[in-house]
Amino acid sequence: MIQTKKLYYGAAYYDEYLPYDRLQADMEMMKKAGINLIRIAESTWSTWEPEDGVFDFSHLHRMLHASKNAGIDVIVGTPTYAIPPWLARKYPDILADTHHGQERYGHRQNMDITHPGYLFHAQRIIRRLLKEVQQYPHVIGFQIDNETKPYDTCCPRVQQRFTQYLKKQYPDINDFNQEFGLNYWSNRVQDWADMPDVRGTINGSLAAEFEHFQRNLVTEFFCWQASIIREYLRPEQFITHNFDFSWRNYSYGYQPDVNQYDAAQHLDIAGSDIYHPSEDHLTGAEIAFGGDLTRSLKQNNYLILETQAQGNHGWLAYPGQLRLQAFSHLASGADCVEYWHWHSIHNAIESYWKGILSHNLKENATYRECMTIGADMKRLTNDLLHLKKHNKIAMLMSNRSNTAFRYFPAGSINDQNTIVRWLYDAFYRMNLEMDMISDTQADPARLADYDLIVLPSVYSMPKILTEHPQHM
Amino acid sequence: MIQTKKLYYGAAYYDEYLPYDRLQADMEMMKKAGINLIRIAESTWSTWEPEDGVFDFSHLHRMLHASKNAGIDVIVGTPTYAIPPWLARKYPDILADTHHGQERYGHRQNMDITHPGYLFHAQRIIRRLLKEVQQYPHVIGFQIDNETKPYDTCCPRVQQRFTQYLKKQYPDINDFNQEFGLNYWSNRVQDWADMPDVRGTINGSLAAEFEHFQRNLVTEFFCWQASIIREYLRPEQFITHNFDFSWRNYSYGYQPDVNQYDAAQHLDIAGSDIYHPSEDHLTGAEIAFGGDLTRSLKQNNYLILETQAQGNHGWLAYPGQLRLQAFSHLASGADCVEYWHWHSIHNAIESYWKGILSHNLKENATYRECMTIGADMKRLTNDLLHLKKHNKIAMLMSNRSNTAFRYFPAGSINDQNTIVRWLYDAFYRMNLEMDMISDTQADPARLADYDLIVLPSVYSMPKILTEHPQHM
Amino acid sequence: MIQTKKLYYGAAYYDEYLPYDRLQADMEMMKKAGINLIRIAESTWSTWEPEDGVFDFSHLHRMLHASKNAGIDVIVGTPTYAIPPWLARKYPDILADTHHGQERYGHRQNMDITHPGYLFHAQRIIRRLLKEVQQYPHVIGFQIDNETKPYDTCCPRVQQRFTQYLKKQYPDINDFNQEFGLNYWSNRVQDWADMPDVRGTINGSLAAEFEHFQRNLVTEFFCWQASIIREYLRPEQFITHNFDFSWRNYSYGYQPDVNQYDAAQHLDIAGSDIYHPSEDHLTGAEIAFGGDLTRSLKQNNYLILETQAQGNHGWLAYPGQLRLQAFSHLASGADCVEYWHWHSIHNAIESYWKGILSHNLKENATYRECMTIGADMKRLTNDLLHLKKHNKIAMLMSNRSNTAFRYFPAGSINDQNTIVRWLYDAFYRMNLEMDMISDTQADPARLADYDLIVLPSVYSMPKILTEHPQHM
């Protein structure tokens, strides 16, 4: 199994966003701060391919040359999470048709990830990008897309696939009606051609099954991108992805839209974006929770591909806070701490989601604290690389249970994550660490390795687990 | 005028919803509890006709045989309130086009009750169902549909009918403009063909007139269903309907979408669904209000066709609460108390709207309390059947006033029902009973029978009443 | 520069709205109250032209004859702010297609003011109306439309014009991408034909530019209407408009959708509608703010074309409040105080927005107070007409900054007007008056006339001002 060769301290970098030519100055500042990794390229398809079939990788090569000269390694992201305007114009149905109607162009992460036109053009830009970067020895790995989700794609083509999926599970349609209780309120379907738009259903089980199907679309998407990337991969290069979490107020939990465990099977190293409150609101549980979950995805060390530097929401970090954050990540088993991002952005919706540098791009308190972290990570790399955990507690994670809470809330709690965090945080306060196992991958043998299995109001459970209650 | 021959104690029953074959066990448990009535069939069109023109009444006959053998009488509901998927597929415009756009298939009670395709197929299934049940002597009556409303149907066809309706009232279009004040903001219509979509109107009087027209569609629907059923009716059988109430927080009031008085003219016995809070929130006024209103519909005894057993909202009934409820209904003039429903449902949106039995379908505290009620109702049937009221107070009910409050709220009160309940509850606390008379059926002679007429902020009133103020 | 020849005390009057023939009685009551001006005709296109090309000005001539006989002057409004039903039927796309979809007919001020069909028919009714009133010597001026705004028109035709507008500013599309930072999230546009629907953008700068473009559509609309009216204008007649303000709770501010300064260049006399809270909520700052702003539009006296008599929201005015209001307007430089409106309306959405008279149309306390105001304004006309201000403080108004706050709120403040009012009200409480200058018309020389320039969190600023910081 591939692992990084050293501890990485990094930042996302976007030469193509910057209003001034800052590349040399930035590389020098990074070196001085001990930054030895940048992540590039994941968000700017329209820069690499400004018109259909017209490619321009000048910014890419500028960044790769400069980083190579500076001795800074690179993770290259595939740029598929935000499509160019010409692609939206070419396929008017490429934007996801959701429970709330069709998405408008402008935002990222709102296309239909199963659309044949999207897949054709995504494949082409991925292959072109991979060829461009093949010559660079300091590209250590690739990030698939960015915080991928199904974006609630519900278009007729997707719903037809859902019907096929049901048909395969229930060759006899009477079994389907029986299992989902569709006699209720005259919802019985006697001919698959009669399947109504699932968006209108009042049957929580059917709605939850559709969400399960949508999660499978994400896993399938990972499989597809990974298989393309592997054609170009050098043996020492890895594939990763920056999974994120479901937010609810200041507390995040497991992402109901993605089965991160299943999707991670197509990666070499798991990765994660961990954002959290600052100052008095930072409890540490956010970092530990994200770390325990991400480490459990492949039961191995992982990468923090994004975490906040100055951050958002008008919060400031107190002096030493970034040090605390960085070493907390390492303590959970991270082999990399990478900020989003180096420089604050001068335009659009994330202008005040600030990076290490503010908009004036000068040394500041955050940068100076990063210098101390970078130096310490370099000094301690042999001690802190590939830290392992052997926990005796495991929590059972369940996407199905998570979505079920939306359809059958427990009082005001319409999100299983609330309960997950109640329990997780209680253990955290008692200084007890845990692994987190997906119900889709749990088996009695594996659960038997633990002294305690925590079930956070698991609403539904695979049969195999209920049949071995002695382990539960 | 038809009346029931005994006091009925019953429950809605859905053999076709149950995941197990429980029929014999259920009938035995019912008998033991003194249950002598079930209501069946009103919600499962897709079970009786799973494909267009293909009929399957096996569940129906199972229930009718078993209940006959158990000595339990039956009310059969027409299954028209929830359409099958194949019907929605056949007529893409069969779901109501409302102020908020077109409804999606899945929910019940969202079709266009004036759609010719709906009416054709509804008639066919009603006739087939009625033929099937003709042979059963213990079918005592029929329920039309279920809590029928216009479902805000606003499609072009309906709006065209509304224009015809206006044209008939105002042969000179200038009178129409004058009456509704349409010169305001350039809304004048000089050619009926110019009538704009009523959904955009800023003229509360026109909007209220359209709601009045929608209520007439419901009355028309009752007339139509009743005329079909009467072709199959034995002399001793009756037609009823389970009217419901408009909810606002925990307090319900008169239903603004339906003129229950007009609609009830097509019934033999009025019926009602009365739900209410439990425990400390149960005041008794909810039951008395619903009873006084339902009794007033036909100025005679009525049926409680649905009321809660264990209920919803996480409430539990205190010991003796169901007894209190049942005898309160009888005290208001009900000849029947029927729960919704016997068994809790194992799927979909009402899974936790619990019946007498919980999901384990075993004897429980609620069931044991029902046994005492059933026994007492049997014992007291001669004393409590057909109780009459001779009230000296009447409240004037007005659908028009109710809807007018939405367009011209009084401060934060945008619903006349709030005022109705303020007044009703004040009388209730003084132990004063009342009748409730619709403004559409009030005449000075009838009002003269009362010592006091209560006007709950009646916003508009028929001319005949304003011209005889001595009675008001 | 045209000015009124006397102080005017007036009311909006709608003979065509009234359910009874009240014209003579109203004129006599007005005379008795010292009312010497009415505003008519601005809202009733469907009365003047009930069918396409069929005109009926009988109400108009009735009002003009009666007012002439009563010695009451008249301002005539063009009736273009609310279109007749036949026009909406003729052009299904005439109602504005907005960020929230297409508007429905019924409400006023929701058409597309750039629609060729609208412009054709608007021009025709304006010309017909102007010809009808040419014979009346007591028509002193014309009001363009009513509280005009772009109504968020976003239809493809308007967006295409927006693209043309951008293209003209940025002949090289790379400059466009650079200036707006469109590389971010793959939003780069390399071919103008690829311009996506601006409603989906996550680029606040682009969204703000579109709002600027929408404001220009309003200025263009004023230019177009004024040029038509001027063909019919007698030398002593003026063109005005009733600008209004942006409301937020009880506090209003500068209108972000309209550049009132640019639009006012096409008027002879600025005008305004000033509504405000009553009783304890009336601080006086509302009147002073509106007055300072309206006076600054053309740096001259102005007209209050609408202000409240009895008002809305269930508020009553305390005795003497209307006197206070009227003389406050005059103290700010108004030459006219005109109420909306004479008589309360018996139908539709503004039925309880009460005028001087209530629905019974009889003398009341408000009317009696108006009598005292009318008498005093007549007596003091020589002293109070054309009052001038010479302020040493100016506030810089900026539509761009106002809209920018929506895209980048400062904490919970998503509206620059909040800050405008914080500052304005603080000066008001210190009894310091100010002028209000638009950033689009500011130049260093003019700013140099003031001792103090107040910048209410001005988010963006014309270059000319930043280059002369000594004046700021």
Side-chain angles (χ1 to χ4, degrees):
Chain A
M1 192 169 271
I2 293 178
Q3 288 193 287
T4 64
K5 298 199 173 46
K6 53 181 165 185
L7 277 189
Y8 275 111
Y9 190 49
Y13 189 72
Y14 305 101
D15 181 49
E16 61 282 352
Y17 287 177
L18 282 164
Y20 326 107
D21 181 354
R22 289 266 314 170
L23 189 52
Q24 283 314 320
D26 284 333
M27 290 298 133
E28 278 154 35
M29 283 183 80
M30 283 186 191
K31 272 180 72 174
K32 196 171 137 197
I35 286 177
N36 58 3
L37 178 72
I38 56 174
R39 188 193 64 177
I40 64 171
E42 88 283 358
S43 57
T44 44
W45 187 343
S46 73
T47 307
W48 313 142
E49 189 177 5
E51 296 179 78
D52 189 357
V54 176
F55 299 92
D56 175 358
F57 290 104
S58 49
H59 277 291
L60 180 78
H61 289 297
R62 266 170 61 81
M63 290 189 283
L64 286 168
H65 277 122
S67 55
K68 188 176 161 203
N69 291 339
I72 293 171
D73 287 346
V74 176
I75 292 175
V76 172
T78 63
T80 48
Y81 84 89
I83 63 172
W86 59 259
L87 188 55
R89 180 181 168 217
K90 186 163 190 160
Y91 304 105
D93 64 340
I94 204 168
L95 293 167
D97 183 12
T98 75
H99 277 77
H100 306 291
Q102 214 203 350
E103 291 286 306
R104 278 204 178 111
Y105 183 81
H107 225 280
R108 61 179 180 179
Q109 297 173 308
N110 62 354
M111 78 292 283
D112 177 356
I113 59 168
T114 73
H115 188 283
Y118 169 73
L119 295 172
F120 171 81
H121 287 279
Q123 174 166 210
R124 192 171 71 178
I125 188 65
I126 293 168
R127 291 186 184 280
R128 284 299 303 252
L129 176 69
L130 291 166
K131 272 185 210 153
E132 296 290 331
V133 305
Q134 262 183 321
Q135 54 180 301
Y136 294 97
H138 66 308
V139 171
I140 58 168
F142 296 92
Q143 175 187 301
I144 288 177
D145 204 66
N146 179 78
E147 301 180 352
T148 312
K149 300 189 194 67
Y151 316 131
D152 192 24
T153 178
C154 289
C155 70
R157 189 174 28 73
V158 164
Q159 294 214 35
Q160 212 162 345
R161 280 188 58 186
F162 178 56
T163 302
Q164 294 306 316
Y165 158 90
L166 291 171
K167 211 166 160 176
K168 210 168 157 187
Q169 277 187 78
Y170 303 98
D172 181 345
I173 200 165
N174 294 305
D175 296 339
F176 167 61
N177 284 293
Q178 175 70 16
E179 186 72 13
F180 287 86
L182 294 178
N183 279 350
Y184 177 80
W185 282 5
S186 198
N187 279 191
R188 185 177 194 85
V189 176
Q190 206 60 39
D191 177 345
W192 289 110
D194 289 335
M195 267 297 284
D197 190 326
V198 73
R199 286 175 287 192
T201 192
I202 43 81
N203 187 300
S205 310
L206 189 62
E209 192 66 21
F210 183 68
E211 294 191 25
H212 174 74
F213 169 79
Q214 286 182 320
R215 286 191 291 272
N216 289 351
L217 298 179
V218 174
T219 302
E220 183 182 297
F221 180 82
F222 272 67
C223 175
W224 167 81
Q225 276 224 12
S227 73
I228 296 168
I229 298 170
R230 289 200 191 284
E231 294 183 32
Y232 301 83
L233 216 56
R234 293 195 300 268
E236 76 280 8
Q237 287 177 321
F238 59 79
I239 297 176
T240 188
H241 174 76
N242 58 333
F243 291 110
D244 64 331
F245 299 96
S246 166
W247 278 86
R248 183 185 163 119
N249 302 324
Y250 290 157
S251 148
Y252 61 60
Y254 186 49
Q255 180 62 42
D257 294 353
V258 180
N259 186 317
Q260 302 182 331
Y261 296 86
D262 289 355
Q265 293 187 315
H266 303 286
L267 307 178
D268 299 308
I269 307 181
S272 190
D273 293 350
I274 299 187
Y275 292 97
H276 47 71
S278 273
E279 300 173 22
D280 290 351
H281 295 285
L282 175 67
T283 66
E286 299 82 4
I287 290 173
F289 175 84
D292 281 349
L293 204 157
T294 312
R295 188 189 62 244
S296 298
L297 293 181
K298 297 190 78 70
Q299 302 166 57
N300 207 341
N301 301 99
Y302 61 95
L303 313 177
I304 295 299
L305 288 160
E306 295 183 18
T307 189
Q308 71 212 45
Q310 293 188 68
N312 200 355
H313 307 300
W315 281 324
L316 293 174
Y318 50 76
Q321 185 182 315
L322 266 74
R323 285 185 65 80
L324 186 67
Q325 293 168 201
F327 288 97
S328 297
H329 287 302
L330 300 180
S332 285
D335 281 342
C336 166
V337 176
E338 192 175 45
Y339 296 111
W340 198 85
H341 44 342
W342 173 249
H343 54 88
S344 300
I345 293 174
H346 292 69
N347 299 89
I349 206 168
E350 290 181 321
S351 293
Y352 296 105
W353 198 297
K354 291 175 76 184
I356 297 171
L357 304 188
S358 288
H359 292 97
N360 66 0
L361 306 171
K362 297 223 191 307
E363 284 197 14
N364 59 14
T366 303
Y367 175 79
R368 282 186 290 270
E369 187 163 318
C370 288
M371 286 172 66
T372 73
I373 304 167
D376 283 346
M377 280 178 67
K378 189 174 180 189
R379 185 168 56 83
L380 298 166
T381 197
N382 289 338
D383 301 302
L384 301 181
L385 188 67
H386 306 331
L387 288 183
K388 301 295 176 201
K389 297 275 171 186
H390 299 286
N391 290 325
K392 302 310 290 172
I393 307 174
M395 188 183 276
L396 196 72
M397 308 304 285
S398 164
N399 291 88
R400 282 186 185 272
S401 298
N402 211 334
T403 60
F405 263 78
R406 261 219 316 294
Y407 296 97
F408 293 112
S412 63
I413 300 165
N414 63 0
D415 181 352
Q416 189 211 15
N417 278 317
T418 303
I419 294 159
V420 165
R421 285 297 303 269
W422 283 347
L423 288 165
Y424 184 87
D425 289 18
F427 282 94
Y428 177 79
R429 286 189 297 267
M430 292 189 290
N431 206 23
L432 292 170
E433 297 180 294
M434 57 173 69
D435 291 347
M436 292 167 131
I437 299 176
S438 170
D439 63 349
T440 60
Q441 298 183 0
D443 60 77
R446 184 158 167 219
L447 294 183
D449 285 347
Y450 293 94
D451 293 342
L452 178 67
I453 307 293
V454 181
L455 302 183
S457 293
V458 174
Y459 207 100
S460 76
M461 202 183 282
K463 235 176 199 163
I464 192 172
L465 299 182
T466 60
E467 286 163 354
H468 293 73
Q470 68 279 19
H471 300 301
M472 302 298 288
Chain B
M1 191 170 270
I2 293 177
Q3 288 194 286
T4 63
K5 298 199 173 46
K6 54 181 165 184
L7 276 190
Y8 276 110
Y9 191 50
Y13 188 72
Y14 306 101
D15 180 49
E16 61 281 351
Y17 287 178
L18 282 163
Y20 327 106
D21 182 353
R22 289 268 313 171
L23 189 53
Q24 283 314 319
D26 284 333
M27 290 299 132
E28 278 155 34
M29 284 183 80
M30 284 185 189
K31 272 180 74 172
K32 194 171 138 196
I35 286 177
N36 58 4
L37 178 72
I38 56 174
R39 189 194 63 178
I40 65 172
E42 88 284 357
S43 58
T44 44
W45 186 343
S46 73
T47 307
W48 313 142
E49 189 178 6
E51 296 179 78
D52 190 357
V54 176
F55 299 93
D56 175 357
F57 291 104
S58 48
H59 277 291
L60 180 78
H61 290 295
R62 265 169 61 81
M63 289 189 284
L64 286 168
H65 276 121
S67 55
K68 188 177 162 200
N69 291 339
I72 294 172
D73 286 347
V74 177
I75 292 175
V76 173
T78 63
T80 49
Y81 85 89
I83 63 172
W86 57 260
L87 189 55
R89 180 182 168 216
K90 184 162 191 160
Y91 304 106
D93 64 340
I94 204 168
L95 294 167
D97 184 11
T98 75
H99 276 78
H100 305 291
Q102 215 203 350
E103 290 286 305
R104 276 202 180 115
Y105 182 80
H107 225 278
R108 60 179 181 178
Q109 297 173 309
N110 62 355
M111 78 293 282
D112 176 356
I113 59 167
T114 73
H115 188 284
Y118 170 72
L119 295 173
F120 171 82
H121 286 280
Q123 176 166 207
R124 192 171 71 179
I125 188 64
I126 293 168
R127 290 187 185 279
R128 285 299 302 252
L129 176 68
L130 291 167
K131 272 185 212 154
E132 297 289 331
V133 305
Q134 264 183 319
Q135 55 180 300
Y136 294 97
H138 67 308
V139 172
I140 58 169
F142 297 91
Q143 175 188 300
I144 289 177
D145 206 66
N146 179 78
E147 301 180 352
T148 312
K149 299 186 196 68
Y151 316 132
D152 192 24
T153 178
C154 289
C155 71
R157 190 173 28 73
V158 163
Q159 294 214 35
Q160 212 162 345
R161 281 188 58 186
F162 178 55
T163 302
Q164 295 305 317
Y165 158 89
L166 292 172
K167 211 166 162 174
K168 210 167 158 187
Q169 277 187 79
Y170 303 98
D172 181 346
I173 201 166
N174 293 305
D175 295 339
F176 167 61
N177 283 292
Q178 175 69 16
E179 186 73 13
F180 287 87
L182 294 178
N183 279 350
Y184 177 79
W185 283 5
S186 198
N187 279 190
R188 185 177 193 86
V189 175
Q190 205 60 40
D191 177 344
W192 289 110
D194 289 335
M195 266 297 285
D197 190 326
V198 72
R199 286 175 286 191
T201 193
I202 42 81
N203 187 300
S205 310
L206 189 62
E209 192 65 23
F210 183 68
E211 294 190 26
H212 173 74
F213 169 80
Q214 287 182 320
R215 285 191 293 271
N216 289 351
L217 297 179
V218 174
T219 301
E220 183 182 297
F221 180 82
F222 272 68
C223 176
W224 166 81
Q225 276 225 12
S227 73
I228 296 168
I229 298 171
R230 288 201 192 283
E231 295 183 32
Y232 301 83
L233 215 57
R234 293 195 300 268
E236 76 280 10
Q237 287 178 321
F238 58 80
I239 297 177
T240 189
H241 175 76
N242 58 332
F243 292 111
D244 64 332
F245 299 96
S246 167
W247 278 85
R248 182 187 165 118
N249 302 324
Y250 290 156
S251 149
Y252 61 60
Y254 186 49
Q255 180 63 42
D257 295 352
V258 180
N259 186 317
Q260 302 182 331
Y261 296 85
D262 289 355
Q265 293 188 315
H266 303 285
L267 308 177
D268 299 308
I269 308 181
S272 189
D273 292 351
I274 300 187
Y275 292 98
H276 47 72
S278 274
E279 300 173 22
D280 290 351
H281 295 284
L282 176 66
T283 67
E286 299 82 5
I287 290 173
F289 175 84
D292 282 349
L293 204 157
T294 313
R295 188 189 62 245
S296 300
L297 293 181
K298 296 189 79 69
Q299 302 166 56
N300 207 342
N301 302 98
Y302 60 95
L303 313 177
I304 295 299
L305 289 160
E306 295 184 18
T307 190
Q308 71 211 43
Q310 293 187 69
N312 199 356
H313 307 300
W315 281 324
L316 293 174
Y318 49 76
Q321 184 181 316
L322 266 75
R323 285 185 66 79
L324 186 68
Q325 292 167 202
F327 288 96
S328 297
H329 288 300
L330 300 180
S332 286
D335 281 341
C336 166
V337 176
E338 191 175 45
Y339 296 110
W340 199 85
H341 45 344
W342 173 250
H343 54 87
S344 300
I345 294 174
H346 293 69
N347 300 90
I349 206 168
E350 289 180 321
S351 292
Y352 297 105
W353 198 298
K354 291 174 76 183
I356 297 171
L357 304 187
S358 289
H359 292 97
N360 66 359
L361 305 171
K362 298 223 189 308
E363 283 197 15
N364 58 15
T366 303
Y367 174 80
R368 282 186 289 271
E369 188 163 316
C370 288
M371 285 172 65
T372 73
I373 303 167
D376 284 345
M377 279 178 67
K378 189 175 180 188
R379 184 168 56 83
L380 299 166
T381 196
N382 289 337
D383 301 301
L384 301 181
L385 188 66
H386 306 331
L387 288 184
K388 300 297 175 199
K389 297 275 171 188
H390 298 284
N391 290 325
K392 302 311 289 173
I393 306 174
M395 187 183 274
L396 195 73
M397 307 305 285
S398 165
N399 290 89
R400 282 187 185 272
S401 299
N402 210 335
T403 60
F405 264 78
R406 262 219 316 293
Y407 296 97
F408 294 112
S412 63
I413 300 166
N414 62 0
D415 181 351
Q416 190 211 13
N417 278 318
T418 303
I419 294 159
V420 165
R421 285 297 302 270
W422 282 347
L423 288 165
Y424 183 88
D425 289 18
F427 282 95
Y428 176 80
R429 286 189 297 267
M430 292 189 289
N431 205 22
L432 291 170
E433 298 180 293
M434 59 173 67
D435 292 347
M436 293 167 130
I437 299 176
S438 170
D439 63 349
T440 60
Q441 299 183 359
D443 59 77
R446 184 158 168 218
L447 294 183
D449 285 348
Y450 293 94
D451 294 342
L452 178 68
I453 307 293
V454 181
L455 303 182
S457 293
V458 174
Y459 207 100
S460 76
M461 202 183 283
K463 235 175 199 166
I464 192 172
L465 298 182
T466 61
E467 285 163 355
H468 293 73
Q470 69 280 19
H471 299 301
M472 301 298 289
Chain C
M1 191 170 270
I2 293 178
Q3 287 194 289
T4 63
K5 297 199 173 47
K6 53 182 166 184
L7 276 190
Y8 275 111
Y9 190 50
Y13 189 71
Y14 306 100
D15 181 49
E16 62 281 352
Y17 287 177
L18 282 164
Y20 327 108
D21 182 353
R22 288 269 313 172
L23 189 53
Q24 283 313 319
D26 283 333
M27 290 299 132
E28 277 154 35
M29 283 183 81
M30 284 185 190
K31 272 181 73 172
K32 194 171 138 195
I35 286 176
N36 58 3
L37 178 72
I38 56 174
R39 188 193 64 177
I40 65 171
E42 87 284 358
S43 57
T44 43
W45 186 344
S46 74
T47 307
W48 314 141
E49 190 178 5
E51 296 179 77
D52 189 356
V54 176
F55 299 92
D56 175 358
F57 290 105
S58 49
H59 277 290
L60 180 78
H61 290 296
R62 265 169 62 81
M63 289 188 284
L64 286 168
H65 276 121
S67 54
K68 190 178 160 201
N69 291 340
I72 294 172
D73 287 347
V74 176
I75 293 175
V76 173
T78 63
T80 48
Y81 84 89
I83 62 172
W86 58 259
L87 188 55
R89 181 183 168 214
K90 185 163 190 159
Y91 303 106
D93 64 339
I94 204 168
L95 294 168
D97 184 11
T98 75
H99 277 77
H100 305 291
Q102 214 203 350
E103 290 287 305
R104 277 203 179 114
Y105 182 81
H107 225 278
R108 60 179 181 178
Q109 298 174 309
N110 61 354
M111 78 292 283
D112 177 356
I113 59 167
T114 73
H115 188 284
Y118 170 72
L119 295 173
F120 171 81
H121 286 281
Q123 176 167 208
R124 193 170 71 178
I125 188 63
I126 293 169
R127 290 186 186 280
R128 286 298 304 253
L129 176 69
L130 291 167
K131 272 185 210 153
E132 296 290 331
V133 305
Q134 263 183 321
Q135 53 179 302
Y136 294 98
H138 67 307
V139 171
I140 59 169
F142 297 92
Q143 175 187 301
I144 289 177
D145 206 66
N146 179 79
E147 302 181 351
T148 313
K149 299 187 194 67
Y151 316 132
D152 193 24
T153 178
C154 290
C155 70
R157 189 173 29 73
V158 164
Q159 294 215 35
Q160 212 163 344
R161 280 187 59 186
F162 177 55
T163 302
Q164 294 305 318
Y165 157 90
L166 291 172
K167 211 166 161 175
K168 212 168 157 188
Q169 276 188 80
Y170 303 98
D172 181 347
I173 200 166
N174 293 306
D175 295 340
F176 167 62
N177 283 292
Q178 175 70 16
E179 186 72 13
F180 287 86
L182 294 179
N183 279 351
Y184 177 80
W185 281 6
S186 198
N187 280 190
R188 185 176 193 86
V189 175
Q190 206 61 39
D191 178 344
W192 290 110
D194 289 335
M195 267 298 284
D197 190 327
V198 72
R199 287 174 286 192
T201 193
I202 43 80
N203 187 299
S205 310
L206 190 62
E209 192 65 22
F210 183 68
E211 294 191 24
H212 174 74
F213 170 80
Q214 287 182 320
R215 286 191 292 271
N216 288 351
L217 297 179
V218 174
T219 301
E220 183 182 297
F221 180 81
F222 272 68
C223 175
W224 166 81
Q225 276 225 12
S227 73
I228 296 168
I229 297 171
R230 288 200 192 284
E231 294 183 33
Y232 301 84
L233 216 57
R234 292 196 300 268
E236 75 280 9
Q237 288 176 321
F238 58 81
I239 297 176
T240 188
H241 175 76
N242 58 333
F243 291 110
D244 64 331
F245 299 96
S246 166
W247 278 86
R248 183 187 163 117
N249 302 324
Y250 290 158
S251 148
Y252 61 60
Y254 186 50
Q255 180 62 42
D257 294 352
V258 180
N259 186 316
Q260 302 183 331
Y261 296 85
D262 289 356
Q265 292 187 315
H266 303 286
L267 308 177
D268 299 308
I269 308 181
S272 188
D273 293 351
I274 300 187
Y275 292 97
H276 47 72
S278 273
E279 301 174 21
D280 290 352
H281 295 284
L282 176 66
T283 67
E286 300 81 5
I287 289 173
F289 175 84
D292 282 349
L293 204 156
T294 313
R295 188 189 64 244
S296 299
L297 293 181
K298 296 189 79 69
Q299 302 166 57
N300 208 341
N301 301 98
Y302 61 94
L303 313 177
I304 295 299
L305 288 160
E306 296 183 18
T307 190
Q308 71 211 45
Q310 293 188 70
N312 200 354
H313 307 301
W315 281 324
L316 293 173
Y318 50 77
Q321 185 181 316
L322 266 74
R323 285 185 65 80
L324 187 67
Q325 292 168 201
F327 288 97
S328 297
H329 288 301
L330 299 180
S332 286
D335 281 341
C336 166
V337 176
E338 193 175 44
Y339 296 111
W340 198 85
H341 45 347
W342 173 250
H343 54 88
S344 300
I345 293 174
H346 292 69
N347 299 90
I349 206 169
E350 290 181 322
S351 293
Y352 296 104
W353 198 297
K354 291 175 76 185
I356 297 171
L357 303 187
S358 289
H359 292 97
N360 66 0
L361 305 171
K362 297 222 190 309
E363 283 198 14
N364 58 14
T366 302
Y367 175 79
R368 283 185 289 270
E369 188 164 316
C370 288
M371 285 172 66
T372 72
I373 303 166
D376 284 345
M377 279 178 66
K378 190 175 178 188
R379 185 169 54 83
L380 298 167
T381 197
N382 289 338
D383 301 302
L384 301 181
L385 188 66
H386 306 331
L387 288 182
K388 301 295 173 199
K389 297 275 171 186
H390 299 285
N391 291 324
K392 302 310 290 174
I393 306 173
M395 188 183 274
L396 196 73
M397 307 305 284
S398 164
N399 291 89
R400 281 186 186 273
S401 299
N402 211 334
T403 60
F405 263 78
R406 263 219 316 294
Y407 296 98
F408 292 112
S412 64
I413 300 165
N414 62 0
D415 181 350
Q416 190 211 14
N417 278 318
T418 303
I419 294 158
V420 166
R421 285 296 303 270
W422 283 346
L423 288 165
Y424 183 88
D425 290 18
F427 282 95
Y428 176 80
R429 286 189 297 266
M430 291 189 291
N431 204 23
L432 291 171
E433 297 180 294
M434 59 174 68
D435 291 347
M436 292 167 130
I437 299 176
S438 170
D439 63 349
T440 61
Q441 298 183 358
D443 60 76
R446 183 159 167 217
L447 294 182
D449 285 347
Y450 294 93
D451 294 343
L452 178 67
I453 307 292
V454 181
L455 303 183
S457 294
V458 175
Y459 207 101
S460 77
M461 203 182 283
K463 237 177 198 165
I464 191 172
L465 298 182
T466 59
E467 285 164 355
H468 294 73
Q470 69 279 21
H471 300 302
M472 301 298 289

